[in-house]
Amino acid sequence: SYELTQPPSVSVSPGQTARITCSGDALPKKYAYWYQQKSGQAPVLVIHEDSKRPSGIPERFSGFSSRTMATLIISGAQVEDEADYYCFSTDISGNHRVFGGGTKLTVL
Amino acid sequence: QVQLVQSGAEVKKPGASVKVSCKASGYSFNDYYMHWVRQAPGQRLQWMGWINAGNGNTKYSQKFQDRITIIRDTSASTAYMELSSLRSEDTAVYYCAREEPLVSLFGSGRGMDVWGQGTTVAVSS
């Protein structure tokens, strides 16, 4: 079955840039999506189609994808950005969607 | 405003089935996909399947293929997810989430931008 691989944790100080990666064999041909999930809450879409930011998401959130890796970038991370972040994509057939294992972002 | 309201918490015995509803409001229900995602305690998000609310076509994760059914009632703007043969490992919060379709070779949607509040399903003898 298809898998997306993320680092379990990333830690930065406030104001620093956080980078969260997601690797998958189909990413050169399939979009990556990124979701933020704070404790006890439903996920929130922060990046879609590799690099597009939904309305209402702060400009410090950006994304890009190159070869087999998608990256979520939080420029000038804030304490309120502490959350679990999940990438989401599909296998090359387009039929099987999957979340990555999630990355816990700590900002302190 | 756009919202998805899910049915209330459920407690089920092993072997039983559960049916969770997701009522949409504030947008054209038929124009979107509806996904179902679950999260067991302390675990990752897990995609279960989706339905094209317009034509009723479905796709299911291989992990749940034999046990899941997703349907929709367009007159009630409501999607339903039924999971059968429940076991303790199915204890989780179940979410519905809408997605706008996208015509592209790189993906079929614009991301799950509105989520329900979640429904807790506990499976215990």
Side-chain angles (χ1 to χ4, degrees):
Chain A
S1 62
Y2 186 54
E3 292 186 356
L4 297 172
T5 302
Q6 298 181 235
S9 63
V10 168
S11 182
V12 297
S13 299
Q16 288 188 328
T17 296
R19 294 178 177 85
I20 299 172
T21 59
C22 172
S23 63
D25 289 342
L27 289 177
K29 296 195 174 184
K30 296 298 179 186
Y31 286 133
Y33 304 78
W34 290 93
Y35 295 90
Q36 174 195 69
Q37 187 182 34
K38 296 183 178 179
S39 181
Q41 299 183 18
V44 173
L45 179 68
V46 294
I47 293 290
H48 62 99
E49 298 162 68
D50 288 347
S51 60
K52 298 180 180 179
R53 192 176 56 249
S55 61
I57 300 301
E59 290 185 6
R60 62 181 180 271
F61 287 87
S62 63
F64 75 95
S65 188
S66 177
R67 299 185 179 179
T68 59
M69 185 171 288
T71 303
L72 173 69
I73 299 170
I74 308 172
S75 304
Q78 306 295 309
V79 173
E80 61 261 33
D81 298 332
E82 276 204 349
D84 293 324
Y85 290 85
Y86 293 91
C87 62
F88 181 76
S89 188
T90 182
D91 70 348
I92 198 66
S93 73
N95 291 325
H96 305 295
R97 309 280 189 103
V98 64
F99 284 96
T103 299
K104 182 176 183 60
L105 176 65
T106 301
V107 183
L108 55 77
Chain B
Q1 75 280 23
V2 176
Q3 62 177 351
L4 301 174
V5 178
Q6 299 182 221
S7 48
E10 303 263 11
V11 178
K12 296 291 183 181
K13 293 198 180 303
S17 297
V18 68
K19 191 171 186 178
V20 181
S21 68
C22 172
K23 182 169 177 58
S25 60
Y27 73 97
S28 179
F29 179 75
N30 288 16
D31 292 343
Y32 285 76
Y33 301 143
M34 193 71 79
H35 294 263
W36 289 88
V37 174
R38 80 175 189 182
Q39 187 171 40
Q43 301 300 309
R44 68 167 72 182
L45 297 172
Q46 197 170 32
W47 181 76
M48 301 181 73
W50 64 323
I51 187 166
N52 181 326
N55 61 21
N57 288 347
T58 56
K59 280 196 170 91
Y60 301 134
S61 166
Q62 287 178 321
K63 179 177 171 63
F64 303 102
Q65 181 81 36
D66 297 334
R67 300 195 290 139
I68 189 172
T69 304
I70 300 174
I71 61 173
R72 94 289 192 219
D73 178 349
T74 56
S75 66
S77 297
T78 300
Y80 301 88
M81 186 284 299
E82 184 170 27
L83 190 64
S84 62
S85 302
L86 291 170
R87 34 213 189 228
S88 59
E89 308 90 89
D90 294 317
T91 294
V93 176
Y94 290 76
Y95 295 100
C96 60
R98 75 161 195 180
E99 181 179 44
E100 180 181 353
L102 172 70
V103 179
S104 167
L105 291 175
F106 290 89
S108 55
R110 298 194 183 278
M112 292 175 267
D113 66 336
V114 178
W115 292 65
Q117 83 276 19
T119 296
T120 299
V121 175
V123 183
S124 174
S125 54

